[in-house]
Every structure is written in C-alpha cells, then in structure tokens.
Amino acid sequence: MESVLAVVVLLCCCVVETQTESEVDGLLRELTARVEKLESKPKVAFSASFMINDEHYHLGPFGENTTVVYKKVITNIGEAYNPDTGVFTAPVRGAYYFTFTCNVGNSGKANAELLKNDVKMVAVYETANPKSGIYHGGANGVTLDLVKGDKVNVVLWSGSSMFDNSRINMFSGYLLFPITTK
C-alpha cells in the first residue's frame, strides 16, 4: 500500500507543475478512489497438502470415489478452504484458478478429478509401477467462473491411490478477480 501511495504522490508532484490546483485536487480524489477500490477487493488464496508430517504416506485405494482431504494447510487467505472436508467454497463470485497434483501410490494408478459442484472439470490419469522405485505424477489446472457458495474439491477415483513423502500432492486455488454483475 505504501508503494502505491508513493507512486500517486510522485505522479501528483509531476502534474502539479502543469495543472491548476483544482485539477490536481480532482486527480488526487480520482486516484485515491481507485486505490481504495483496489484495496477493498476480496482476497482469496489457498494451498494445502494431504501430507501432515514427513513420513511416507499412501492414500487409498478405496472401494469408491473419495474426496481427498488436504489437511496440511500452507496458506488459507480468506478461509475459503476447509481442511476438515477438503472442500473449497467460493466466498464471492469471480474467476478462480485451481491446480492439483497427483502422484501414483501403491495401487499403481492415480486417477483423480477436480469437481465444481460435483461436476468433473479436469482430471489426472497416471499409472506407474511403484515396485520399480520410480513414482509417476501428474498435474492439472483450470480457471473457473464461480458464484458465491460454489464448491470445488478433488476426488480420488475408486481403485486409485496417491503417495507422498515431501508434500508433492497439493491442491491450490486463488481468486483472479471478482465478477460483479451490473
């Protein structure tokens, strides 16, 4: 914020030499209103991992599709991500960007999808042979138009598993910009 104000003051000082006092006052009011509008925009961003400590960890396989609960929250600005359920709930209408990573666990496959209100938006399909000592992983991301209350989460498909030993399975999202309807 201080840097924005410094730029505004610097611009005003440059303009003062070529503008009348009332023009400078108008410009200052306009710039102040723009800065206040920028500062009032909602701030939403999160990143979480399903690994809580530094132990090797396998999630799954399960007999049914299962929401991945990323309990290790790294960032949760705006508190829109719930680490107890693994679900992000949009606090305002806007364009949001989400990404998730998925590393193959002991089942030999990691098939997962990112859902918006229980509808598949994007997925990751990965297979590997964990016995070889080489773990494969995938990632995907998407920009979504969400309205307040929309839910976004990652689901691990039935029969799939994920492996982690250093916070390599992540779920992140952030508000790019709010959308207001006029």
Side-chain angles (χ1 to χ4, degrees):
M1 174 60 188
E2 288 90 16
S3 61
V4 173
L5 287 177
V7 170
V8 169
V9 170
L10 181 61
L11 286 172
C12 289
C13 289
C14 294
V15 172
V16 166
E17 294 181 14
T18 60
Q19 304 293 319
T20 66
E21 186 175 327
S22 65
E23 290 172 328
V24 170
D25 286 344
L27 179 61
L28 268 174
R29 279 192 298 279
E30 180 183 338
L31 289 173
T32 301
R34 286 184 179 189
V35 168
E36 288 172 355
K37 184 177 178 184
L38 284 173
E39 287 184 341
S40 68
K41 294 203 187 279
K43 293 161 183 64
V44 182
F46 79 95
S47 283
S49 167
F50 74 70
M51 186 175 167
I52 297 173
N53 56 43
D54 291 331
E55 305 279 321
H56 285 65
Y57 184 74
H58 286 271
L59 180 69
F62 301 106
E64 59 186 27
N65 292 356
T66 303
T67 296
V68 180
V69 179
Y70 298 85
K71 290 195 175 284
K72 178 65 177 178
V73 175
I74 297 164
T75 303
N76 198 4
I77 299 166
E79 303 297 319
Y81 174 72
N82 184 332
D84 295 325
T85 64
V87 177
F88 171 88
T89 304
V92 297
R93 177 161 189 224
Y96 292 81
Y97 182 75
F98 294 93
T99 185
F100 72 104
T101 58
C102 192
N103 290 277
V104 178
N106 55 12
S107 69
K109 61 183 176 179
N111 298 330
E113 60 191 3
L114 184 135
L115 305 177
K116 171 187 169 185
N117 299 326
D118 296 322
V119 176
K120 179 170 61 171
M121 298 289 108
V122 294
V124 169
Y125 308 97
E126 280 297 326
T127 58
N129 180 357
K131 291 182 177 142
S132 71
I134 300 171
Y135 287 88
H136 291 244
N140 213 334
V142 64
T143 301
L144 298 174
D145 181 355
L146 302 180
V147 297
K148 183 177 181 176
D150 278 350
K151 310 276 187 207
V152 177
N153 61 295
V154 174
V155 169
L156 185 63
W157 292 359
S158 171
S160 292
S161 64
M162 296 166 69
F163 166 78
D164 206 338
N165 68 348
S166 61
R167 293 178 183 82
I168 53 179
N169 287 293
M170 303 290 298
F171 178 33
S172 299
Y174 54 90
L175 174 65
L176 295 169
F177 52 87
I179 298 173
T180 56
T181 53
K182 303 227 176 197

